[in-house]
Amino acid sequence: MSQPTAALTPGFAHPVHDAQRTFRAVLEAMARPLTPQPLGVPLTPPAPLTAEAGVVVLTLCDEQTPLWLDEALRGSTEVTTWIRFHTGAPLVDDAAQALFCLASSPHSAPPLDTLNLGTDQEPHHSATVIIEAAEGAEGSCTAAGPGIRESLTWNGAGLPPRFLKDRQRLTEAFPRGVDLLFLTPGAVSGLPRTTRLSLIGDI
Amino acid sequence: MGGQAMTLTDQRPASEPRIVYNEGYLDEQTKRAIRRALLKGVAIPGFQVPFASREVPMPRGWGTGGVQVTASIIGPEDLLKVIDQGADDTTNAVSIRQFFERVAGSASTTHTEQATIIQTRHRIPETPLAAGQTIVYQVPIPEPLRFLEPRETETRRLHALEEYGLMYVKLYEDIARYGHIAKTYDYPVRVNGRYIMAPSPIPSFDNPKMHMSPALQLFGAGREKRIYAVPPFTSVESLGFEDHPFEPQSFERPCQICGSEGVYLDEVITDDAGGAMFVCSDTDYCARTSSGTSTEGAPQ
């Protein structure tokens, strides 16, 4: 199968520094849950892959990390070619086999119970889900746990109520679990498995 | 092959080094693997994440784990401080600082509150750490249960089952034998109410500083190939019993150079007749306290 090479846009212009800066933003995001961290995006990946998703994938994924893409991303040959060329990550159809899952909208995120949660002895073998966040109902959740001084309110990133409820239940499976990263224009925020969510009202 | 390499080398200007390392010393693939381990470590506070520890140009046991963690996070905007037993000026601290100046192009400092990354062997600075700072601990033995259960397969299972009876028996035996818990360094802690973690051989004096610290704490054990982490504002509880609670070390006298009280002191032998003085182990804190540039009012 020949690929349209002309459509292949470049990866990082400065692979070492761009990856380092992106990683520090992601690390801070995971360490301070639901607190957006500024993310530099020196990249123009093919649509519908956003620049934010592009920099995070280039920073974290390689041939050792099976990657699952949602339908919109998987359907674009430009996107799959770009990811394969720049990262070498094997693209998998079954989200259960993925170490990273990339969803282009909150509604296309894979159901949490289908993902790899790791085991009690090896909880680090679990999946990380990267989601393009949307506008959510302001103050629909409160969150507490490591990395949060007391508690904070969160808009739910536009995730469907069922997903949020699944995530809330998953706290009990600790140390097994799934870690989430949310992308908004120019920022990344994290939701590690340790963060306890309480949903306000009937969402 | 040798001939060809010689030709290539000879064509370079004499000032150029023969071997050019990637910036940050480690190759990008290794950094990605360590970065992924760090993210999982932060997400599972106190859990030891195995990683493929690489060789770095210093012997195992001299901070290779800390160096690999620092190499995977450091960038040109960072200001690095390295301490060895609290001192910025010991051989290990100086050479690790110079290493990163050369391979990562990062700037160095000895001022605790200015540093963005602090790599440490066996101390937490006296100046309180602030949000936005990252402290990287060099860890020799990451497994707190190792001397109680030598089999890695078993210790992993004990952590998975949260079965920490062995550790409490050990602390109890100390009390039965000595009347108090005799461990004064590497004093075991429970992180976020779940995992028991080795805080690396910091004195128990420093243990309370880990609890709800605003800084991100990362731990690297190079020889043992483990990475673990404590996110900011996370409970780090030193183990104890209701009737024999944890008691950090304390010192009755002040530092004999700067006069600070409530700081960790080193005994320095001053002559052959048994003379000694007790001075701050944190050289940055001591130097600035004695020169009058107080570190009080540093960001909490």
Side-chain angles (χ1 to χ4, degrees), chain A residues 23 26-33 124 146-147 174 179 191-195, chain B residues 34-47 49 73 134 191-192 216-219 227-232 234:
Chain A
F23 174 69
V26 173
L27 181 67
E28 280 294 304
M30 205 53 104
R32 298 169 204 282
H124 60 289
F174 189 86
D179 308 307
L191 182 60
R193 65 193 75 184
T194 46
T195 306
Chain B
I34 293 176
R35 286 168 179 167
R36 290 193 294 259
L38 284 169
L39 289 180
K40 288 299 172 191
V42 168
I44 317 166
F47 172 76
V49 184
I73 65 173
T134 302
V191 180
N192 193 31
L216 172 61
Q217 306 179 66
L218 306 175
F219 299 78
I227 280 172
Y228 50 106
V230 177
T234 299

mmCIF file of all heavy atoms in Angstrom, chain A residues 23 26-33 124 146-147 174 179 191-195, chain B residues 34-47 49 73 134 191-192 216-219 227-232 234:
data_model
loop_
_atom_site.group_PDB
_atom_site.id
_atom_site.type_symbol
_atom_site.label_atom_id
_atom_site.label_comp_id
_atom_site.label_asym_id
_atom_site.label_seq_id
_atom_site.Cartn_x
_atom_site.Cartn_y
_atom_site.Cartn_z
ATOM 1 N N PHE A 23 6.887 16.861 28.122
ATOM 2 C CA PHE A 23 6.833 15.904 29.230
ATOM 3 C C PHE A 23 6.684 16.609 30.563
ATOM 4 O O PHE A 23 5.928 16.165 31.436
ATOM 5 C CB PHE A 23 8.065 15.001 29.258
ATOM 6 C CG PHE A 23 8.076 14.131 30.481
ATOM 7 C CD1 PHE A 23 7.155 13.115 30.618
ATOM 8 C CD2 PHE A 23 8.961 14.360 31.523
ATOM 9 C CE1 PHE A 23 7.114 12.332 31.762
ATOM 10 C CE2 PHE A 23 8.932 13.596 32.672
ATOM 11 C CZ PHE A 23 8.006 12.578 32.790
ATOM 12 N N VAL A 26 3.167 17.454 31.060
ATOM 13 C CA VAL A 26 2.352 16.265 31.344
ATOM 14 C C VAL A 26 2.630 15.765 32.760
ATOM 15 O O VAL A 26 1.716 15.377 33.492
ATOM 16 C CB VAL A 26 2.623 15.165 30.292
ATOM 17 C CG1 VAL A 26 1.918 13.868 30.677
ATOM 18 C CG2 VAL A 26 2.177 15.610 28.916
ATOM 19 N N LEU A 27 3.906 15.799 33.173
ATOM 20 C CA LEU A 27 4.264 15.341 34.518
ATOM 21 C C LEU A 27 3.604 16.226 35.586
ATOM 22 O O LEU A 27 3.025 15.738 36.558
ATOM 23 C CB LEU A 27 5.789 15.352 34.687
ATOM 24 C CG LEU A 27 6.346 14.887 36.033
ATOM 25 C CD1 LEU A 27 6.074 13.403 36.242
ATOM 26 C CD2 LEU A 27 7.848 15.152 36.129
ATOM 27 N N GLU A 28 3.668 17.546 35.374
ATOM 28 C CA GLU A 28 3.005 18.471 36.302
ATOM 29 C C GLU A 28 1.497 18.227 36.302
ATOM 30 O O GLU A 28 0.849 18.292 37.348
ATOM 31 C CB GLU A 28 3.284 19.927 35.898
ATOM 32 C CG GLU A 28 4.638 20.453 36.342
ATOM 33 C CD GLU A 28 4.769 20.561 37.855
ATOM 34 O OE1 GLU A 28 3.936 21.229 38.483
ATOM 35 O OE2 GLU A 28 5.709 19.958 38.407
ATOM 36 N N ALA A 29 0.951 17.954 35.110
ATOM 37 C CA ALA A 29 -0.492 17.708 35.002
ATOM 38 C C ALA A 29 -0.881 16.486 35.820
ATOM 39 O O ALA A 29 -1.891 16.497 36.525
ATOM 40 C CB ALA A 29 -0.886 17.526 33.540
ATOM 41 N N MET A 30 -0.071 15.432 35.750
ATOM 42 C CA MET A 30 -0.393 14.213 36.478
ATOM 43 C C MET A 30 -0.168 14.422 37.982
ATOM 44 O O MET A 30 -0.867 13.849 38.808
ATOM 45 C CB MET A 30 0.483 13.085 35.942
ATOM 46 C CG MET A 30 -0.080 11.695 36.111
ATOM 47 S SD MET A 30 -1.740 11.478 35.458
ATOM 48 C CE MET A 30 -1.427 10.576 33.956
ATOM 49 N N ALA A 31 0.815 15.266 38.327
ATOM 50 C CA ALA A 31 1.140 15.492 39.733
ATOM 51 C C ALA A 31 0.144 16.453 40.394
ATOM 52 O O ALA A 31 -0.015 16.414 41.608
ATOM 53 C CB ALA A 31 2.560 16.031 39.864
ATOM 54 N N ARG A 32 -0.478 17.327 39.617
ATOM 55 C CA ARG A 32 -1.463 18.288 40.152
ATOM 56 C C ARG A 32 -2.759 18.104 39.385
ATOM 57 O O ARG A 32 -3.081 18.876 38.477
ATOM 58 C CB ARG A 32 -0.933 19.716 40.007
ATOM 59 C CG ARG A 32 0.338 19.935 40.803
ATOM 60 C CD ARG A 32 1.037 21.251 40.471
ATOM 61 N NE ARG A 32 2.456 21.128 40.818
ATOM 62 C CZ ARG A 32 2.936 21.200 42.042
ATOM 63 N NH1 ARG A 32 2.136 21.431 43.043
ATOM 64 N NH2 ARG A 32 4.235 21.040 42.264
ATOM 65 N N PRO A 33 -3.536 17.081 39.775
ATOM 66 C CA PRO A 33 -4.692 16.681 38.974
ATOM 67 C C PRO A 33 -5.659 17.830 38.698
ATOM 68 O O PRO A 33 -5.892 18.678 39.560
ATOM 69 C CB PRO A 33 -5.367 15.609 39.845
ATOM 70 C CG PRO A 33 -4.270 15.067 40.686
ATOM 71 C CD PRO A 33 -3.353 16.220 40.948
ATOM 72 N N HIS A 124 1.227 -0.726 37.121
ATOM 73 C CA HIS A 124 1.782 0.247 36.169
ATOM 74 C C HIS A 124 1.607 -0.204 34.725
ATOM 75 O O HIS A 124 1.897 0.556 33.815
ATOM 76 C CB HIS A 124 3.266 0.470 36.466
ATOM 77 C CG HIS A 124 4.087 -0.767 36.352
ATOM 78 N ND1 HIS A 124 4.004 -1.794 37.268
ATOM 79 C CD2 HIS A 124 4.982 -1.172 35.422
ATOM 80 C CE1 HIS A 124 4.833 -2.765 36.915
ATOM 81 N NE2 HIS A 124 5.434 -2.410 35.802
ATOM 82 N N PRO A 146 -4.286 12.866 46.224
ATOM 83 C CA PRO A 146 -2.902 13.310 46.108
ATOM 84 C C PRO A 146 -2.728 14.352 45.002
ATOM 85 O O PRO A 146 -3.309 14.218 43.925
ATOM 86 C CB PRO A 146 -2.152 12.028 45.762
ATOM 87 C CG PRO A 146 -2.980 10.937 46.319
ATOM 88 C CD PRO A 146 -4.396 11.408 46.187
ATOM 89 N N GLY A 147 -1.961 15.378 45.293
ATOM 90 C CA GLY A 147 -1.703 16.419 44.305
ATOM 91 C C GLY A 147 -2.682 17.574 44.407
ATOM 92 O O GLY A 147 -2.484 18.621 43.796
ATOM 93 N N PHE A 174 -8.199 0.547 43.151
ATOM 94 C CA PHE A 174 -6.809 0.929 43.389
ATOM 95 C C PHE A 174 -6.060 -0.208 44.079
ATOM 96 O O PHE A 174 -6.606 -0.837 44.977
ATOM 97 C CB PHE A 174 -6.757 2.203 44.259
ATOM 98 C CG PHE A 174 -5.381 2.778 44.379
ATOM 99 C CD1 PHE A 174 -4.903 3.650 43.419
ATOM 100 C CD2 PHE A 174 -4.546 2.421 45.420
ATOM 101 C CE1 PHE A 174 -3.625 4.176 43.511
ATOM 102 C CE2 PHE A 174 -3.261 2.927 45.507
ATOM 103 C CZ PHE A 174 -2.808 3.799 44.552
ATOM 104 N N ASP A 179 -5.299 6.017 34.036
ATOM 105 C CA ASP A 179 -4.965 7.427 34.213
ATOM 106 C C ASP A 179 -5.387 8.193 32.959
ATOM 107 O O ASP A 179 -5.195 7.712 31.838
ATOM 108 C CB ASP A 179 -3.468 7.572 34.469
ATOM 109 C CG ASP A 179 -3.023 6.652 35.595
ATOM 110 O OD1 ASP A 179 -3.626 6.718 36.674
ATOM 111 O OD2 ASP A 179 -2.111 5.832 35.370
ATOM 112 N N LEU A 191 -5.820 13.326 35.208
ATOM 113 C CA LEU A 191 -6.716 12.739 36.210
ATOM 114 C C LEU A 191 -6.166 11.348 36.536
ATOM 115 O O LEU A 191 -6.584 10.359 35.939
ATOM 116 C CB LEU A 191 -8.156 12.661 35.682
ATOM 117 C CG LEU A 191 -9.201 12.103 36.652
ATOM 118 C CD1 LEU A 191 -9.306 12.931 37.915
ATOM 119 C CD2 LEU A 191 -10.563 12.013 35.977
ATOM 120 N N PRO A 192 -5.198 11.287 37.481
ATOM 121 C CA PRO A 192 -4.657 9.977 37.834
ATOM 122 C C PRO A 192 -5.691 9.168 38.611
ATOM 123 O O PRO A 192 -6.687 9.718 39.076
ATOM 124 C CB PRO A 192 -3.452 10.320 38.707
ATOM 125 C CG PRO A 192 -3.752 11.666 39.269
ATOM 126 C CD PRO A 192 -4.567 12.371 38.221
ATOM 127 N N ARG A 193 -5.405 7.869 38.763
ATOM 128 C CA ARG A 193 -6.382 6.967 39.379
ATOM 129 C C ARG A 193 -6.630 7.282 40.849
ATOM 130 O O ARG A 193 -7.630 6.837 41.404
ATOM 131 C CB ARG A 193 -5.893 5.526 39.222
ATOM 132 C CG ARG A 193 -4.603 5.247 39.973
ATOM 133 C CD ARG A 193 -3.999 3.936 39.544
ATOM 134 N NE ARG A 193 -3.387 4.085 38.216
ATOM 135 C CZ ARG A 193 -2.845 3.072 37.549
ATOM 136 N NH1 ARG A 193 -2.851 1.867 38.056
ATOM 137 N NH2 ARG A 193 -2.295 3.288 36.374
ATOM 138 N N THR A 194 -5.719 8.057 41.475
ATOM 139 C CA THR A 194 -5.863 8.330 42.906
ATOM 140 C C THR A 194 -6.879 9.417 43.206
ATOM 141 O O THR A 194 -7.282 9.579 44.345
ATOM 142 C CB THR A 194 -4.517 8.791 43.493
ATOM 143 O OG1 THR A 194 -3.959 9.758 42.619
ATOM 144 C CG2 THR A 194 -3.564 7.636 43.677
ATOM 145 N N THR A 195 -7.254 10.194 42.194
ATOM 146 C CA THR A 195 -8.181 11.316 42.443
ATOM 147 C C THR A 195 -9.591 10.785 42.670
ATOM 148 O O THR A 195 -10.111 10.034 41.853
ATOM 149 C CB THR A 195 -8.156 12.290 41.255
ATOM 150 O OG1 THR A 195 -6.802 12.688 41.021
ATOM 151 C CG2 THR A 195 -9.001 13.514 41.540
ATOM 152 N N ILE B 34 11.622 6.038 30.674
ATOM 153 C CA ILE B 34 11.706 6.539 32.048
ATOM 154 C C ILE B 34 10.556 7.510 32.317
ATOM 155 O O ILE B 34 9.947 7.499 33.387
ATOM 156 C CB ILE B 34 13.076 7.208 32.294
ATOM 157 C CG1 ILE B 34 14.178 6.141 32.242
ATOM 158 C CG2 ILE B 34 13.097 7.951 33.627
ATOM 159 C CD1 ILE B 34 15.578 6.677 32.380
ATOM 160 N N ARG B 35 10.227 8.333 31.324
ATOM 161 C CA ARG B 35 9.129 9.287 31.503
ATOM 162 C C ARG B 35 7.806 8.563 31.721
ATOM 163 O O ARG B 35 7.009 8.959 32.567
ATOM 164 C CB ARG B 35 9.047 10.210 30.276
ATOM 165 C CG ARG B 35 10.157 11.230 30.273
ATOM 166 C CD ARG B 35 10.284 11.951 28.943
ATOM 167 N NE ARG B 35 11.358 12.939 29.033
ATOM 168 C CZ ARG B 35 11.882 13.560 27.993
ATOM 169 N NH1 ARG B 35 11.431 13.295 26.768
ATOM 170 N NH2 ARG B 35 12.843 14.439 28.154
ATOM 171 N N ARG B 36 7.596 7.488 30.965
ATOM 172 C CA ARG B 36 6.347 6.728 31.171
ATOM 173 C C ARG B 36 6.326 6.116 32.570
ATOM 174 O O ARG B 36 5.287 6.093 33.241
ATOM 175 C CB ARG B 36 6.208 5.643 30.093
ATOM 176 C CG ARG B 36 5.920 6.196 28.709
ATOM 177 C CD ARG B 36 5.489 5.104 27.758
ATOM 178 N NE ARG B 36 6.541 4.149 27.478
ATOM 179 C CZ ARG B 36 7.294 4.132 26.377
ATOM 180 N NH1 ARG B 36 7.095 5.040 25.451
ATOM 181 N NH2 ARG B 36 8.216 3.216 26.214
ATOM 182 N N ALA B 37 7.496 5.620 33.024
ATOM 183 C CA ALA B 37 7.569 5.056 34.381
ATOM 184 C C ALA B 37 7.287 6.135 35.422
ATOM 185 O O ALA B 37 6.599 5.891 36.412
ATOM 186 C CB ALA B 37 8.944 4.429 34.605
ATOM 187 N N LEU B 38 7.800 7.346 35.189
ATOM 188 C CA LEU B 38 7.564 8.445 36.129
ATOM 189 C C LEU B 38 6.077 8.787 36.224
ATOM 190 O O LEU B 38 5.546 9.012 37.308
ATOM 191 C CB LEU B 38 8.353 9.687 35.712
ATOM 192 C CG LEU B 38 9.858 9.662 35.995
ATOM 193 C CD1 LEU B 38 10.554 10.827 35.286
ATOM 194 C CD2 LEU B 38 10.130 9.732 37.491
ATOM 195 N N LEU B 39 5.402 8.821 35.059
ATOM 196 C CA LEU B 39 3.973 9.154 35.073
ATOM 197 C C LEU B 39 3.185 8.115 35.859
ATOM 198 O O LEU B 39 2.297 8.448 36.637
ATOM 199 C CB LEU B 39 3.427 9.261 33.643
ATOM 200 C CG LEU B 39 3.893 10.469 32.831
ATOM 201 C CD1 LEU B 39 3.278 10.430 31.445
ATOM 202 C CD2 LEU B 39 3.529 11.768 33.523
ATOM 203 N N LYS B 40 3.510 6.818 35.658
ATOM 204 C CA LYS B 40 2.805 5.774 36.410
ATOM 205 C C LYS B 40 3.187 5.856 37.892
ATOM 206 O O LYS B 40 2.344 5.617 38.761
ATOM 207 C CB LYS B 40 3.116 4.390 35.838
ATOM 208 C CG LYS B 40 2.459 4.125 34.489
ATOM 209 C CD LYS B 40 0.931 4.176 34.564
ATOM 210 C CE LYS B 40 0.289 4.115 33.180
ATOM 211 N NZ LYS B 40 -1.150 4.428 33.208
ATOM 212 N N GLY B 41 4.432 6.203 38.167
ATOM 213 C CA GLY B 41 4.847 6.359 39.559
ATOM 214 C C GLY B 41 4.064 7.454 40.258
ATOM 215 O O GLY B 41 3.627 7.292 41.399
ATOM 216 N N VAL B 42 3.846 8.562 39.579
ATOM 217 C CA VAL B 42 3.085 9.671 40.157
ATOM 218 C C VAL B 42 1.621 9.264 40.338
ATOM 219 O O VAL B 42 0.977 9.618 41.322
ATOM 220 C CB VAL B 42 3.203 10.928 39.258
ATOM 221 C CG1 VAL B 42 2.203 11.994 39.661
ATOM 222 C CG2 VAL B 42 4.625 11.487 39.312
ATOM 223 N N ALA B 43 1.110 8.471 39.387
ATOM 224 C CA ALA B 43 -0.294 8.066 39.452
ATOM 225 C C ALA B 43 -0.536 7.023 40.540
ATOM 226 O O ALA B 43 -1.658 6.865 41.003
ATOM 227 C CB ALA B 43 -0.752 7.528 38.091
ATOM 228 N N ILE B 44 0.517 6.272 40.934
ATOM 229 C CA ILE B 44 0.381 5.243 41.974
ATOM 230 C C ILE B 44 1.406 5.580 43.056
ATOM 231 O O ILE B 44 2.486 4.984 43.123
ATOM 232 C CB ILE B 44 0.627 3.829 41.399
ATOM 233 C CG1 ILE B 44 -0.065 3.654 40.054
ATOM 234 C CG2 ILE B 44 0.168 2.762 42.393
ATOM 235 C CD1 ILE B 44 0.393 2.439 39.267
ATOM 236 N N PRO B 45 1.104 6.548 43.923
ATOM 237 C CA PRO B 45 2.129 7.077 44.843
ATOM 238 C C PRO B 45 2.720 5.991 45.746
ATOM 239 O O PRO B 45 1.983 5.234 46.370
ATOM 240 C CB PRO B 45 1.360 8.104 45.680
ATOM 241 C CG PRO B 45 0.167 8.460 44.862
ATOM 242 C CD PRO B 45 -0.185 7.225 44.091
ATOM 243 N N GLY B 46 4.042 5.903 45.757
ATOM 244 C CA GLY B 46 4.738 4.952 46.620
ATOM 245 C C GLY B 46 4.968 3.596 45.980
ATOM 246 O O GLY B 46 5.712 2.781 46.522
ATOM 247 N N PHE B 47 4.353 3.328 44.824
ATOM 248 C CA PHE B 47 4.554 2.042 44.154
ATOM 249 C C PHE B 47 5.845 2.088 43.339
ATOM 250 O O PHE B 47 6.102 3.048 42.617
ATOM 251 C CB PHE B 47 3.370 1.726 43.234
ATOM 252 C CG PHE B 47 3.585 0.512 42.372
ATOM 253 C CD1 PHE B 47 3.487 -0.754 42.923
ATOM 254 C CD2 PHE B 47 3.923 0.637 41.030
ATOM 255 C CE1 PHE B 47 3.702 -1.890 42.141
ATOM 256 C CE2 PHE B 47 4.146 -0.476 40.243
ATOM 257 C CZ PHE B 47 4.040 -1.742 40.807
ATOM 258 N N VAL B 49 7.950 1.342 40.349
ATOM 259 C CA VAL B 49 7.790 0.984 38.944
ATOM 260 C C VAL B 49 9.134 0.489 38.421
ATOM 261 O O VAL B 49 10.126 1.214 38.501
ATOM 262 C CB VAL B 49 7.332 2.200 38.109
ATOM 263 C CG1 VAL B 49 7.087 1.787 36.669
ATOM 264 C CG2 VAL B 49 6.085 2.833 38.709
ATOM 265 N N ILE B 73 14.023 14.542 32.957
ATOM 266 C CA ILE B 73 13.110 15.675 33.165
ATOM 267 C C ILE B 73 13.765 17.022 32.903
ATOM 268 O O ILE B 73 13.086 17.994 32.646
ATOM 269 C CB ILE B 73 12.503 15.669 34.601
ATOM 270 C CG1 ILE B 73 13.566 15.877 35.674
ATOM 271 C CG2 ILE B 73 11.743 14.373 34.866
ATOM 272 C CD1 ILE B 73 12.977 16.057 37.075
ATOM 273 N N THR B 134 10.938 20.286 42.017
ATOM 274 C CA THR B 134 10.954 18.827 41.964
ATOM 275 C C THR B 134 12.196 18.363 42.694
ATOM 276 O O THR B 134 13.293 18.858 42.419
ATOM 277 C CB THR B 134 10.989 18.341 40.497
ATOM 278 O OG1 THR B 134 9.858 18.870 39.818
ATOM 279 C CG2 THR B 134 10.953 16.825 40.428
ATOM 280 N N VAL B 191 2.534 5.831 52.193
ATOM 281 C CA VAL B 191 2.193 6.920 51.282
ATOM 282 C C VAL B 191 0.722 6.850 50.917
ATOM 283 O O VAL B 191 0.238 5.801 50.469
ATOM 284 C CB VAL B 191 3.062 6.835 50.009
ATOM 285 C CG1 VAL B 191 2.715 7.967 49.057
ATOM 286 C CG2 VAL B 191 4.531 6.892 50.366
ATOM 287 N N ASN B 192 0.031 7.950 51.092
ATOM 288 C CA ASN B 192 -1.385 8.060 50.754
ATOM 289 C C ASN B 192 -2.203 6.933 51.385
ATOM 290 O O ASN B 192 -3.165 6.445 50.803
ATOM 291 C CB ASN B 192 -1.558 8.058 49.222
ATOM 292 C CG ASN B 192 -2.952 8.486 48.807
ATOM 293 O OD1 ASN B 192 -3.585 9.286 49.480
ATOM 294 N ND2 ASN B 192 -3.438 7.929 47.705
ATOM 295 N N LEU B 216 7.045 18.201 44.086
ATOM 296 C CA LEU B 216 6.940 16.849 43.538
ATOM 297 C C LEU B 216 8.197 16.067 43.935
ATOM 298 O O LEU B 216 9.309 16.557 43.766
ATOM 299 C CB LEU B 216 6.817 16.933 42.008
ATOM 300 C CG LEU B 216 6.885 15.621 41.222
ATOM 301 C CD1 LEU B 216 5.765 14.676 41.609
ATOM 302 C CD2 LEU B 216 6.827 15.918 39.720
ATOM 303 N N GLN B 217 8.000 14.862 44.480
ATOM 304 C CA GLN B 217 9.141 14.062 44.935
ATOM 305 C C GLN B 217 9.286 12.821 44.059
ATOM 306 O O GLN B 217 8.361 12.012 43.962
ATOM 307 C CB GLN B 217 8.931 13.659 46.403
ATOM 308 C CG GLN B 217 8.652 14.861 47.305
ATOM 309 C CD GLN B 217 8.412 14.460 48.753
ATOM 310 O OE1 GLN B 217 9.310 13.962 49.425
ATOM 311 N NE2 GLN B 217 7.196 14.646 49.229
ATOM 312 N N LEU B 218 10.450 12.687 43.423
ATOM 313 C CA LEU B 218 10.717 11.551 42.546
ATOM 314 C C LEU B 218 11.888 10.755 43.108
ATOM 315 O O LEU B 218 12.828 11.331 43.659
ATOM 316 C CB LEU B 218 11.059 12.031 41.123
ATOM 317 C CG LEU B 218 10.044 12.968 40.458
ATOM 318 C CD1 LEU B 218 10.577 13.443 39.110
ATOM 319 C CD2 LEU B 218 8.706 12.271 40.268
ATOM 320 N N PHE B 219 11.840 9.445 42.966
ATOM 321 C CA PHE B 219 12.872 8.576 43.522
ATOM 322 C C PHE B 219 13.420 7.681 42.422
ATOM 323 O O PHE B 219 12.651 7.052 41.701
ATOM 324 C CB PHE B 219 12.291 7.696 44.637
ATOM 325 C CG PHE B 219 11.731 8.465 45.802
ATOM 326 C CD1 PHE B 219 10.492 9.069 45.718
ATOM 327 C CD2 PHE B 219 12.450 8.581 46.976
ATOM 328 C CE1 PHE B 219 9.969 9.788 46.783
ATOM 329 C CE2 PHE B 219 11.935 9.295 48.057
ATOM 330 C CZ PHE B 219 10.691 9.902 47.959
ATOM 331 N N ILE B 227 11.720 3.054 39.945
ATOM 332 C CA ILE B 227 11.372 4.470 40.026
ATOM 333 C C ILE B 227 10.087 4.570 40.831
ATOM 334 O O ILE B 227 9.185 3.750 40.653
ATOM 335 C CB ILE B 227 11.166 5.054 38.611
ATOM 336 C CG1 ILE B 227 12.526 5.374 37.966
ATOM 337 C CG2 ILE B 227 10.289 6.301 38.644
ATOM 338 C CD1 ILE B 227 12.424 5.770 36.524
ATOM 339 N N TYR B 228 10.004 5.519 41.757
ATOM 340 C CA TYR B 228 8.731 5.758 42.413
ATOM 341 C C TYR B 228 8.599 7.233 42.732
ATOM 342 O O TYR B 228 9.547 8.009 42.528
ATOM 343 C CB TYR B 228 8.525 4.873 43.644
ATOM 344 C CG TYR B 228 9.642 4.818 44.664
ATOM 345 C CD1 TYR B 228 9.528 5.480 45.888
ATOM 346 C CD2 TYR B 228 10.783 4.057 44.445
ATOM 347 C CE1 TYR B 228 10.515 5.386 46.855
ATOM 348 C CE2 TYR B 228 11.783 3.968 45.412
ATOM 349 C CZ TYR B 228 11.651 4.632 46.602
ATOM 350 O OH TYR B 228 12.639 4.546 47.560
ATOM 351 N N ALA B 229 7.413 7.628 43.181
ATOM 352 C CA ALA B 229 7.148 9.056 43.290
ATOM 353 C C ALA B 229 6.115 9.341 44.365
ATOM 354 O O ALA B 229 5.329 8.474 44.735
ATOM 355 C CB ALA B 229 6.646 9.592 41.942
ATOM 356 N N VAL B 230 6.163 10.559 44.855
ATOM 357 C CA VAL B 230 5.130 11.073 45.753
ATOM 358 C C VAL B 230 4.682 12.414 45.174
ATOM 359 O O VAL B 230 5.486 13.342 45.066
ATOM 360 C CB VAL B 230 5.669 11.277 47.187
ATOM 361 C CG1 VAL B 230 4.591 11.888 48.077
ATOM 362 C CG2 VAL B 230 6.157 9.962 47.781
ATOM 363 N N PRO B 231 3.420 12.515 44.740
ATOM 364 C CA PRO B 231 2.949 13.801 44.210
ATOM 365 C C PRO B 231 2.897 14.852 45.321
ATOM 366 O O PRO B 231 2.996 14.517 46.506
ATOM 367 C CB PRO B 231 1.535 13.484 43.706
ATOM 368 C CG PRO B 231 1.351 12.018 43.796
ATOM 369 C CD PRO B 231 2.371 11.495 44.752
ATOM 370 N N PRO B 232 2.747 16.117 44.950
ATOM 371 C CA PRO B 232 2.603 17.163 45.965
ATOM 372 C C PRO B 232 1.349 16.909 46.804
ATOM 373 O O PRO B 232 0.432 16.217 46.354
ATOM 374 C CB PRO B 232 2.425 18.442 45.154
ATOM 375 C CG PRO B 232 2.784 18.103 43.758
ATOM 376 C CD PRO B 232 2.629 16.643 43.592
ATOM 377 N N THR B 234 0.544 15.080 49.343
ATOM 378 C CA THR B 234 0.199 13.682 49.547
ATOM 379 C C THR B 234 0.609 13.300 50.964
ATOM 380 O O THR B 234 1.664 13.715 51.439
ATOM 381 C CB THR B 234 0.940 12.806 48.514
ATOM 382 O OG1 THR B 234 0.534 13.206 47.219
ATOM 383 C CG2 THR B 234 0.633 11.332 48.706
#
